Amino acid sequence: MDGSIKDLSAYRLEKAKEDLKTAKDNLSDKHFRAAVNRAYYAIFHALRAVTALDQFDSGKHSGIIAYINMHYVKTGIFDRDFSKAVDQSFRLREKADYDDFAVITEEDAIAQIAKSESVVSKVEIYLSSL
């Protein structure tokens, strides 16, 4: 495998971890919308760490998610709970970012961060096994 592809994957995983830390900081500061956003982006960058190894990318979040579901969830590399966490996180982030009157609670942010921690951890374990 090309070293630059591995470097890209590692960079994206580090970006995911940084976003997860930022989400936790936002939660501590009671910025729940921002926490939900950063927790989702931690997931998104973790997924892109995986797709980098396949030399796949997409201009749309839904494209990355669909690719992961097709090539990694349906094949059993990641379980259905993984896919469910990604989908729920994507939907909550969209609600937080785009719905004018959406109320994002502390509980929402805590749950989003927990999903993000799970997904990022599973991706990190998968990548370290390669």
Side-chain angles (χ1 to χ4, degrees), residues 1-2 9 15 32 35 40 47 50 53 55 65 70 73 76 78 83 88 100 108 118 126 128:
M1 198 173 296
D2 184 7
S9 177
K15 198 171 181 182
F32 305 133
Y40 166 74
L47 298 181
V50 174
L53 297 177
Q55 298 183 33
I65 294 167
M70 180 179 292
V73 175
F78 297 121
S83 177
Q88 290 171 343
D100 289 328
D108 293 331
S118 175
Y126 171 73
S128 70

Side-chain angles (χ1 to χ4, degrees), residues 23-77:
K24 292 175 183 180
D25 292 344
N26 286 327
L27 176 63
S28 293
D29 292 340
K30 307 277 188 221
H31 300 292
F32 305 133
R33 283 180 190 274
V36 161
N37 176 284
R38 289 297 89 195
Y40 166 74
Y41 273 96
I43 290 172
F44 180 68
H45 293 304
L47 298 181
R48 290 184 71 230
V50 174
T51 65
L53 297 177
D54 295 342
Q55 298 183 33
F56 174 83
D57 206 5
S58 174
K60 294 187 172 210
H61 290 233
S62 59
I64 297 291
I65 294 167
Y67 183 88
I68 290 291
N69 283 333
M70 180 179 292
H71 296 278
Y72 290 88
V73 175
K74 284 190 179 182
T75 61
I77 294 170

Side-chain angles (χ1 to χ4, degrees), residues 105-119:
T105 65
E106 183 173 13
E107 292 76 23
D108 293 331
I110 290 168
Q112 184 88 325
I113 289 170
K115 288 178 182 118
S116 182
E117 287 175 322
S118 175
V119 169

Side-chain angles (χ1 to χ4, degrees), residues 81-100:
D81 287 340
F82 180 95
S83 177
K84 187 176 179 181
V86 170
D87 181 64
Q88 290 171 343
S89 294
F90 176 72
R91 291 176 191 281
L92 184 59
R93 193 275 308 181
E94 281 192 324
K95 177 181 172 183
D97 286 355
Y98 301 116
D99 288 0
D100 289 328

